Amino acid sequence: MIKGLKLLSTLMELKVNSEKTAGSCVACLDHKAINGLCPGCRDDLPVNRWHCRCCALPMAFPADTLTCGECLSTPPPFSHTIAPWRYQYPVDGMIGRYKYNGQRKYARPLVMALAEHLSRHFQSSPELKPELIVPAPMHRKRRRQRGFNQAEDIAEQLSLALKIPWSSTRIRRLRHARPQRELGREARLQNLRGMFDVSGAVPARIALVDDVVTTGATARMLTAALMEAGAADVQVWALARTPG
């Protein structure tokens, strides 16, 4: 079973980031891992089983075909969101180690499982398969601080797995802004106004990729910019969705 991610030692961090343990579970180091997680730890992941059909907000009852109050009152411009997990333990710790410490081994099982989920989704509904994957852009200042854009990293891996082209140059962030995690929904929307610019032609169907969907404010603004540039349908893909 998954052990406390915060208690992992420096030695374990070195081991899970080495090629020698590439086939081991990133949580408990079991050697029976598939894509970085053993069956026991995989079963511990908080699946986003019941959720809003638009924004994937987790719900406490069977409701994967229903719409949350927020999306009913203010419908988002994107068509739907695919986020297989809730942003809770241990997924929040795995994404945090990947996003803020650059430990890609923690994201690998989540990204590969998302790719598998999407592949099954498009087998049953091929008409929903997008023509282009676009990662949420990061300002160059933050990218220098972090060393990489996790949305681009995820988009590239999904592109390879699903054989869908991706581009990191279609949309860019114009200015550095206060971190979104510090703000509520209305403040997030205000913080993002005039933030994004689309360059070049965009196809009709686009998948917008990020690591986590929190309030959906960023996805709304990015989708609006892409649709203004010519996109007809934008869907959002993420590893996880916050409970609200």
Side-chain angles (χ1 to χ4, degrees):
M1 293 293 112
I2 285 183
K3 300 175 182 178
L5 294 174
K6 292 183 179 179
L7 300 179
L8 295 176
S9 66
T10 302
L11 177 59
M12 182 174 174
E13 291 177 7
L14 292 173
K15 290 182 71 177
V16 298
N17 280 289
S18 69
E19 289 299 320
K20 183 177 180 181
T21 57
S24 298
C25 179
V26 297
C28 69
L29 294 184
D30 190 294
H31 292 293
K32 297 179 181 179
I34 299 175
N35 286 325
L37 277 181
C38 69
C41 290
R42 187 179 301 275
D43 290 343
D44 279 347
L45 298 181
V47 177
N48 192 12
R49 195 178 312 279
W50 302 326
H51 53 79
C52 170
R53 66 182 183 87
C54 292
C55 72
L57 178 71
M59 294 185 174
F61 49 87
D64 55 351
T65 60
L66 299 182
T67 305
C68 72
E70 182 65 39
C71 289
L72 282 173
S73 62
T74 312
F78 49 82
S79 59
H80 63 282
T81 301
I82 295 177
W85 296 281
R86 301 191 305 275
Y87 190 66
Q88 296 173 333
Y89 179 85
V91 169
D92 53 356
M94 295 170 71
I95 292 177
R97 284 179 173 269
Y98 163 60
K99 185 174 179 176
Y100 301 114
N101 298 324
Q103 297 180 357
R104 287 176 166 85
K105 290 289 179 79
Y106 285 97
R108 181 164 61 99
L110 302 179
V111 176
M112 291 299 99
L114 173 57
E116 292 169 2
H117 175 83
L118 289 167
S119 180
R120 293 191 298 269
H121 179 59
F122 297 137
Q123 284 178 5
S124 60
S125 303
E127 73 280 1
L128 297 179
K129 190 171 184 177
E131 301 167 85
L132 182 69
I133 299 173
V134 175
M138 179 181 289
H139 192 270
R140 60 184 180 274
K141 179 180 178 181
R142 183 161 296 157
R143 181 172 185 141
R144 283 196 303 269
Q145 293 172 342
R146 189 169 295 172
F148 77 113
N149 179 355
Q150 71 280 355
E152 289 184 9
D153 191 43
I154 296 168
E156 182 177 15
Q157 293 181 67
L158 293 176
S159 173
L160 290 171
L162 300 171
K163 296 179 172 53
I164 301 173
W166 76 287
S167 173
S168 62
T169 60
R170 296 302 175 89
I171 190 164
R172 63 192 179 99
R173 186 180 286 259
L174 297 177
R175 58 183 172 81
H176 187 61
R178 184 180 173 185
Q180 290 287 89
R181 64 180 180 274
E182 300 175 0
L183 308 172
R185 182 182 176 278
E186 292 302 321
R188 284 171 180 249
L189 289 170
Q190 185 62 37
N191 192 44
L192 293 171
R193 297 194 191 282
M195 179 71 72
F196 304 110
D197 177 62
V198 178
S199 60
V202 297
R205 298 188 308 279
I206 293 176
L208 180 63
V209 170
D210 210 345
D211 58 331
V212 179
V213 174
T214 306
T215 64
T218 301
R220 284 173 180 259
M221 289 296 183
L222 286 168
T223 299
L226 289 167
M227 296 188 79
E228 186 176 343
D233 178 82
V234 177
Q235 53 187 285
V236 179
W237 298 350
L239 300 181
R241 178 65 160 92
T242 58

